[in-house]
Amino acid sequence: MTPKRHSYALPILIVLSAVTVVTAIQAIFLQAPVESTMGIVQKIFYFHVPAAYAMYLGALACFGGSVGFLLHPSDRADAIAKAGAQAAVTFGLIVLVTGPLWAAKAWGRYWTWDPRLTTSLLSVLVYVAYTLLRAFTGDGEAERKFSAALGVLGAANLPIIHYSVQKWSGQHPRVISQGGGGLAPAMKPSLALGFLAFTLLAILIVWSRARIELAAARLRHLEEEALDAGLGEES
Amino acid sequence: MQAPVTATTTQEAQANEFRAVQGGTEIASGSTLLVEAYAVIWVILFGLFFLSWRRQARLEDKIADLERAVGKARRSDGAA
């Protein structure tokens, strides 16, 4: 994750992500058929579901980094946890905005306290809390440990979101999950491209944000060195 | 001869009252909602990428300044 070792990997990932996103948009709007009952608004689905999956990826990165930090405290593990939480918030916001916009057409209202919607909202709030905690309490050892514990606990909600539709039913569609009716064959390539695009975006966001957090950690160490060297003033 | 009468009747009805479609749940146009959804996705993603790029550039500048200052302080310590 150090900039020197992966100097080409990040630009390549950026280009690959951009190309995949453009290809996905082209497939969604020009190739995927319009759904018979909902009409064009159903096309939100091709980014809404992959965004939810990308939120899981961010949350898993946060979980992995947090476990790593609790076992062997390091700037790298902490940076991955922090970047994962930021990715989870980003994709969680996309899910929480695009879902209600679809629901406005499909259900006739923006929000309902359906089990999946409620558990998704709770999960996003956990990662918002994590991000705010890190933004306002600094990077002391105690804060980092407390955040790591929150990162581990936050992941506990992920299986609940996933199985909430099956366990407690509710209004949320289960087209591609177990017991669902499935997708029309012509819609599948667009959804697959959506998943690929959001997987690459999730990796890109976690990677780039972790690089920033590592640079911030390097800056903190340099400030300590500067004080030791008698420079006397933090920049 | 019937059509103009119907059109006039419809115009008169529209002038007097607004009625919702019976049994419909639509509160906004599907196309508008779709555009809003995609706009939000791009605003969030590009916003994040812009903020990340700005923060990375700021951090790199600060790190370069500090490295120069620490190196200079060490060299002057060594010379003394």
Side-chain angles (χ1 to χ4, degrees), chain A residues 21 25 28-29 40-41 43-44 46-47 90-91 93-94 97-98 101 104-110 198 201 204-205 208-209 211-213 215-216 218-219 222-223 225-226 229 231 235, chain B residues 25-38 40-42 44-45 48-49 51-56 58-60 62-74 77:
Chain A
V21 166
I25 291 172
I28 290 165
F29 287 97
I40 198 167
V41 80
K43 287 180 187 280
I44 288 176
Y46 298 108
F47 274 0
T90 304
F91 291 114
L93 284 178
I94 291 176
V97 172
T98 55
L101 287 172
K105 175 79 177 173
W107 297 342
R109 53 185 164 169
Y110 288 97
F198 272 79
L201 283 173
L204 179 62
I205 288 176
S208 57
R209 296 301 299 186
R211 270 169 59 107
I212 290 173
E213 296 307 332
R218 168 96 183 109
L219 182 64
L222 270 172
E223 282 171 351
E225 272 186 51
L231 291 175
S235 54
Chain B
T25 54
E26 187 166 316
I27 56 176
S29 143
S31 316
T32 309
L33 292 166
L34 182 68
V35 170
E36 283 172 1
Y38 278 82
V40 165
I41 291 172
W42 301 128
I44 290 175
L45 287 177
L48 181 76
F49 286 130
L51 291 177
S52 299
W53 168 76
R54 218 176 56 170
R55 188 168 172 219
Q56 177 87 42
R58 215 169 39 220
L59 280 170
E60 279 172 3
K62 277 187 177 180
I63 287 171
D65 287 349
L66 261 179
E67 276 176 342
R68 265 195 306 274
V70 170
K72 201 174 164 186
R74 285 203 174 132
D77 278 355

Side-chain angles (χ1 to χ4, degrees), chain A residues 117-198:
Chain A
L117 273 64
T118 310
T119 49
S120 300
L121 175 64
L122 278 176
S123 205
V124 174
L125 288 178
V126 167
Y127 292 104
V128 167
Y130 181 104
T131 309
L132 290 178
L133 180 75
R134 296 308 302 270
F136 292 107
T137 60
D139 289 303
E141 206 56 32
E143 288 83 2
R144 298 210 291 180
K145 273 191 181 156
F146 184 81
S147 304
L150 187 60
V152 172
L153 286 175
N157 197 32
L158 299 182
I160 299 175
I161 300 174
H162 189 73
Y163 292 108
S164 59
V165 172
Q166 288 158 34
K167 291 278 177 199
W168 301 303
S169 189
Q171 274 181 282
H172 192 280
R174 53 174 118 178
V175 178
I176 56 168
S177 45
Q178 202 176 10
L183 268 184
M187 294 176 174
K188 287 180 181 171
S190 301
L191 182 64
L193 275 167
F195 273 114
L196 181 62
F198 272 79

